[in-house]
Amino acid sequence: MMNKKLLYLIASVLFLVGCSDEEVTPERTITGTWQSILHLEDYDQVSTFEIIPAGTIKGSVTLRQKGSRVDLGYSSEFIGIYRVEDSKLIITRNQFSLPADSKLQYSDKELLMSVEDGGTIREYVIESDFSKFYYICGVNESCPPPKPFIKID
């Protein structure tokens, strides 16, 4: 009788261990769509990152009416690669696009023009619970107060 209980206990432990979720890693936790919103006087400037497993990232900066989810125009768009080191998200841009008319700050997505970027690297600090990350302003950069990127998908 005692051996039967011990056998059930061992089988239960093995079942629970075998059914555990996949390992939670920074790369697995950070994948998805993230946004940071800078509230301007009449509009919202929305920075969006789509972080894809296997190290690819896509990003854009758009303009929206305050409180709206509809993009009015694009300020920039990029494709690059990322890696997570310690508590940092490190992004290297491979392709970067801006409005073709340099007098415009925003344009239709179709009117963005690819520009030479030289593999610009940007770093972001990730909160320990992976709920937010913030841009790390460079030494010679003039940056607004940090706005968090929050996961939306």
Side-chain angles (χ1 to χ4, degrees):
M1 186 70 157
M2 188 63 143
N3 286 340
K4 230 180 194 183
K5 286 183 183 179
L6 183 60
L7 183 61
Y8 284 126
L9 179 63
I10 292 171
S12 297
V13 169
L14 290 174
F15 175 76
L16 290 175
V17 170
C19 292
S20 66
D21 292 335
E22 293 181 23
E23 181 183 352
V24 176
T25 64
E27 290 80 9
R28 191 179 307 266
T29 305
I30 201 116
T31 57
T33 304
W34 297 76
Q35 280 189 342
S36 176
I37 301 174
L38 178 62
H39 300 287
L40 304 172
E41 190 172 323
D42 296 322
Y43 299 97
D44 290 334
Q45 180 179 310
V46 181
S47 298
T48 304
F49 289 164
E50 181 185 355
I51 302 175
I52 303 164
T56 301
I57 185 167
K58 297 177 183 179
S60 64
V61 177
T62 59
L63 186 70
R64 296 180 182 169
Q65 290 284 348
K66 277 204 169 300
S68 173
R69 296 184 53 84
V70 178
D71 293 324
L72 299 174
Y74 282 74
S75 173
S76 65
E77 188 174 56
F78 79 91
I79 298 173
I81 57 172
Y82 75 91
R83 66 184 187 280
V84 176
E85 289 182 7
D86 301 319
S87 62
K88 287 184 184 176
L89 170 65
I90 302 167
I91 297 171
T92 304
R93 295 189 312 210
N94 294 335
Q95 296 175 320
F96 188 63
S97 299
L98 295 171
D101 184 345
S102 61
K103 296 176 196 145
L104 299 177
Q105 290 185 341
Y106 292 87
S107 71
D108 291 338
K109 186 175 183 177
E110 296 77 29
L111 298 177
L112 293 177
M113 176 181 71
S114 184
V115 295
E116 185 64 36
D117 188 34
T120 300
I121 297 174
R122 301 274 191 240
E123 293 187 357
Y124 300 78
V125 64
I126 305 169
E127 288 196 353
S128 60
D129 64 355
F130 295 96
S131 63
K132 300 174 189 169
F133 58 84
Y134 297 85
Y135 177 64
I136 301 171
C137 191
V139 176
N140 295 321
E141 283 185 274
S142 174
C143 298
K147 292 284 185 184
F149 278 82
I150 298 171
K151 196 169 194 175
I152 61 166
D153 179 22

